[in-house]
Each structure stands twice: as structure tokens, then as C-alpha cells.
Amino acid sequence: ALPYLHHSLDYGTYRSITEMNSVLSPRLATTGRLFSTAVLKTKWKSDVVYLYQFPRSPVMPNQSPYCLKLETYLRIKNIKYEIMKSYRQRSEKGLVPFIELNGRQIPDSGVIIRKLEKHFDCADRLTEEEKGVARAIDRMLDCSTLHAIQLDRLVKNGRLFASRAVSGLPLPGFITDRIGDRMAAIMGKRMRGALGKLSDEEMRDLLVLDLNAINSILGQKRFLFGEVPSAVDCSVFGHIASTYFLPYRQTLSDVLDDDLPAMAGLINRIRTHYYPEWKDPQ
């Protein structure tokens, strides 16, 4: 965890480095991720969701598509929640986001949403056909779109993604550059492992195919299945908005702005209505 910096930086900054490095590296020091099976919020309130996720970014509520997806769902369903921000805390499965509800930990955004649907009786009112379409979109986002997005989002722009202006990390530029390089290398391996040895152009073509598929289902509707947003709208928002609103141009933002105005409208509509406090940085 960058031990050679220990003598040149104050402890708070060094701690921030080791915490962020623990997010990136599978080999963790003792200051790395804290996996927990125990309930962390011991004085919890009934039916309040305690949402564990990364801290806010200066440019968006969260850089993680899954954290943004889950918080959007909580807002759309008007479920009371409190944010428990941390770079280090992890669920029993080693993941973020996770929640605690009534003294019980629930990991994985998809599992969380299904549990919340049952607990709060707030499942989307969809036809069987719409449920099938929603499931297909959700799996495409997780298994294809997520990885294709990373080429421009992180692999080619790791230093921008990790910079203080974007990530909010209270660290000097030479350190965030190192973090960005490491993130880019890790994500590049994951991307190639998931999608094979596609060229950059083929990877971008795959992303455009996915975006067009979602846009075709959306059509001219306000949300994917009509006038009311559903859980899959949250999935789309999490994956697309966490890239679209980054302050540097990418294939995704170019395609939405130039070719898919309806889909850009969906993303901006959710942001405006459900995140009124979300302002562009000055």
C-alpha cells in the first residue's frame, strides 16, 4: 500500500492512500478492506435502510454504477434510508453496496432490491412480458454493457477518473495518477476477460449495440415501461449516468448526445427529478 510514502506524508493522507489502495488490490494489508458479517449499525431504527457505499464524488452522487443504482431505487420507491459512507467497509461477500435493515445485513444490489420489494411491498407492476424484458436488460447491463463502458470510462482515462476533481480523493495528483493507472490495469484485465480479445473499435461497437437496444425499448416513453420508473430504470441510470456525467468525453456520451436523445432524456429526467441537489461542479 505504497509504504515508501509513509515518511513523507501526514498520517491522515497516508491512511487515505492505503484505504483507496485496498479498494483496488486483491492483496490487502491490515489497513485494507473490512469484511463484516456482523451488523455495523447497532442502534438501528425500524424499517430504515442503512446504505453502505463509497463517499460522494464531486461530479455525481457516486462513481459506482451499483451504488448509484441502489440509491436511485431507494429514492424512486420513497424508502427511508441513511448513507454510511466508507472506502473500506465491505459486506460478508466482500462487496459494496450493501445495506442493513432491521438488524440484518443484505449484500448485492440485485438481491437487495428483491428483498426490499418483498419487505416494503413495492414491486413494480409489470406484465409478464415486461418482467422478461426487464430481466434481459438488467443482465445485458451487468454482463456486456458494464464491461464495454470501461474502455473509455476507466481503461483509457484512469488518471482522469481517479483525479481529485472527479473522485474527491484528498490526495496530490502524482498519487491519484498512480491509483488511476492501477485501476485502469485491473479493469482492463477484467474487461478483456469478460468480453474476449476484441479490438477497441469492436468494444465500442458492442457498447453502441447495447445502447441502441435500450433506446429501442424506451422509444418515446418517459420511462422504459411507461409513465412510472421501475427497478430496471434504476439499473440503466446507474450504469449510464455514472459514465455519462463524467467531465470528459467518451463514446457513450457522444452516442447519447448525437444519436439517442430519448435515452439522454431518460437519464437527465431521473437526475433532475430524483436528485435535485445534484449540481454540476463550478
Side-chain angles (χ1 to χ4, degrees):
L2 309 183
Y4 64 91
L5 293 171
H6 186 232
H7 297 292
S8 60
L9 298 173
D10 64 89
Y11 180 74
T13 302
Y14 175 73
R15 182 75 174 208
S16 296
I17 296 167
T18 56
E19 287 180 0
M20 176 50 81
N21 193 55
S22 73
V23 173
L24 308 178
S25 175
R27 296 181 179 179
L28 305 175
T30 56
T31 52
R33 292 180 287 189
L34 301 180
F35 292 65
S36 176
T37 57
V39 173
L40 301 173
K41 183 71 174 180
T42 55
K43 295 182 179 180
W44 48 266
K45 301 174 185 176
S46 179
D47 283 350
V48 173
V49 171
Y50 296 95
L51 171 60
Y52 290 81
Q53 62 177 15
F54 296 123
R56 296 294 199 205
S57 155
V59 298
M60 62 183 66
N62 212 287
Q63 286 179 280
S64 162
Y66 295 102
C67 292
L68 187 57
K69 162 190 171 180
L70 184 54
E71 185 171 0
T72 303
Y73 181 83
L74 293 169
R75 292 188 176 210
I76 282 176
K77 295 299 184 179
N78 198 29
I79 296 172
K80 188 174 181 180
Y81 70 98
E82 294 182 16
I83 292 176
M84 314 296 286
K85 61 182 180 180
S86 175
Y87 285 121
R88 302 177 65 210
Q89 297 292 353
R90 294 292 188 277
S91 71
E92 60 186 23
K93 296 183 178 180
L95 302 171
V96 285
F98 67 96
I99 69 167
E100 291 178 348
L101 175 63
N102 294 341
R104 179 188 175 194
Q105 182 192 112
I106 308 173
D108 187 279
S109 62
V111 173
I112 292 168
I113 287 175
R114 291 192 289 275
K115 296 287 187 181
L116 294 177
E117 286 177 342
K118 293 180 180 179
H119 184 82
F120 292 103
D121 191 23
C122 62
D124 300 319
R125 291 182 171 84
L126 303 179
T127 67
E128 291 304 309
E129 180 179 354
E130 288 171 337
K131 290 177 183 177
V133 172
R135 178 63 177 169
I137 294 173
D138 197 61
R139 298 321 298 152
M140 181 186 73
L141 288 166
D142 284 350
C143 300
S144 172
T145 316
L146 169 69
H147 298 288
I149 281 176
Q150 300 303 335
L151 178 65
D152 289 341
R153 180 178 193 254
L154 186 51
V155 176
K156 299 291 186 181
N157 290 293
R159 292 189 174 192
L160 283 173
F161 186 84
S163 67
R164 185 170 187 169
V166 175
S167 70
L169 285 171
L171 303 171
F174 77 95
I175 298 176
T176 60
D177 283 351
R178 183 182 176 91
I179 291 171
D181 289 345
R182 175 141 178 82
M183 292 175 74
I186 292 172
M187 189 53 66
K189 290 180 180 179
R190 290 179 182 173
M191 180 185 71
R192 302 297 179 187
L195 299 180
K197 296 181 179 180
L198 300 179
S199 68
D200 289 357
E201 182 179 358
E202 290 167 335
M203 199 77 70
R204 292 188 175 102
D205 287 345
L206 179 62
L207 174 59
V208 172
L209 286 172
D210 287 359
L211 295 175
N212 273 288
I214 298 170
N215 190 71
S216 296
I217 294 168
L218 174 63
Q220 297 304 310
K221 301 186 294 294
R222 284 180 55 79
F223 300 101
L224 284 166
F225 299 114
E227 294 297 310
V228 179
S230 63
V232 75
D233 286 286
C234 301
S235 295
V236 171
F237 185 75
H239 283 284
I240 305 305
S242 60
T243 294
Y244 181 70
F245 292 112
L246 288 171
Y248 47 90
R249 300 300 298 179
Q250 303 170 70
T251 298
L252 182 144
S253 50
D254 289 342
V255 170
L256 261 62
D257 288 345
D258 297 341
D259 302 322
L260 303 177
M263 193 168 172
L266 170 67
I267 300 306
N268 280 289
R269 191 174 302 119
I270 293 175
R271 169 181 170 169
T272 300
H273 187 79
Y274 292 102
Y275 291 91
E277 78 281 12
W278 181 353
K279 309 296 182 185
D280 291 327
Q282 300 298 317

